[in-house]
Structure formats: C-alpha cells, structure tokens
Amino acid sequence: MNKNIAALICGILFGTGLTISQMSNPDKVLAFLDITGNWDLSLMLVMLGAVATLTTAQYFILKRSKPVCDSHFHLPKTGNLIDSRLILGAMIFGIGWGLVGFCPGSALAALSDGKRDPFIFTIALGIGMMLFSRFDNKK
C-alpha cells in the first residue's frame, strides 16, 4: 500500500474518532479539564480506550519484522531523557489545550464544522511552528 494513501486513511480514521468522541469539541474538552467544577469524565474513558487499543495492537505490530509501509521500525532510542525542551513543550501544549480546548489533531478535525475558532487556532499553530523552525537553535 502506498505510504501516502495509508497516511490519509489513518488521518481520516483518527479525525473521525476525535469527532465521534467529541474530543474536537472545545466545550467538552474544557469540561474534562475543569476538575474543580462540573467535571466531565467521559473523555478519560475515550483516552483509556485508545491506550488499551494501542497497547494491544502494538504488541502484535512489533512482533513483525518490519512495518507494512516502511523498511524498518522508527522507535525512540532507549537513552532519550526527559529534558527542558520536552518539559517546556509539554507545558505549552497543556496551557494551550486548557485555554482553548483544542490540540493540533482536534483542531484539524474541527475545521470541518465551519466554525471560526478552529481556523484561528490552526493559523496560530502554523505561525508558532514557523517561528519555532526559524529560531530553533538545535537544528
């Protein structure tokens, strides 16, 4: 199977899952993040289901000699440590998610709703990525 076709199918499946589970709905996400208010626990069940599915699938996938669409697996090196860049990136991601209720995947899935907020978020995301690429000193 062509890599691009496989990526497109995976992206459509992922976006459909985000939409069905309402993870592309910022109000639902913000209600999940509001643990001191009217906490909506339903998205935790979605995340637990995703982790269980991945864990099961990964067990069988890694038993293969190579992936379906590549010559070898691209797995993280075992010596990678948690560093300040990872922590800062995770903090920025979490703050952005908590402020607007979108992460990159859910914002792209929400673009099909035709609402203004996901478009603004996606434009800001693109600008942030371009700025990072321009000023990143670890290239």
Side-chain angles (χ1 to χ4, degrees):
M1 178 183 287
N2 181 320
K3 278 186 189 184
N4 291 334
I5 300 296
L8 177 64
I9 292 168
C10 289
I12 290 170
L13 182 62
F14 182 67
T16 302
L18 288 175
T19 302
I20 290 170
S21 67
Q22 292 207 10
M23 289 189 88
S24 62
N25 178 353
D27 295 329
K28 184 91 167 165
V29 171
L30 292 174
F32 166 68
L33 296 173
D34 185 12
I35 59 173
T36 61
N38 189 18
W39 191 27
D40 183 350
L41 191 60
S42 63
L43 291 186
M44 184 170 297
L45 299 174
V46 172
M47 286 190 249
L48 288 173
V51 168
T53 302
L54 171 66
T55 303
T56 304
Q58 193 170 17
Y59 173 79
F60 294 104
I61 290 168
L62 292 178
K63 286 189 172 277
R64 298 177 55 94
S65 60
K66 67 182 186 80
V68 174
C69 294
D70 207 343
S71 61
H72 65 283
F73 287 105
H74 301 271
L75 301 172
K77 296 178 181 126
T78 54
N80 290 351
L81 299 175
I82 296 173
D83 62 2
S84 60
R85 289 168 54 96
L86 176 65
I87 292 171
L88 180 62
M91 289 172 53
I92 292 170
F93 177 90
I95 290 168
W97 198 39
L99 286 174
V100 297
F102 285 124
C103 70
S106 65
L108 291 176
L111 286 174
S112 64
D113 291 342
K115 295 180 182 168
R116 182 181 61 154
D117 291 347
F119 284 100
I120 293 170
F121 178 88
T122 304
I123 290 168
L125 174 68
I127 291 169
M129 290 169 59
M130 287 188 299
L131 288 172
F132 177 81
S133 178
R134 170 100 167 102
F135 296 108
D136 179 29
N137 60 2
K138 296 267 184 168
K139 291 181 182 177

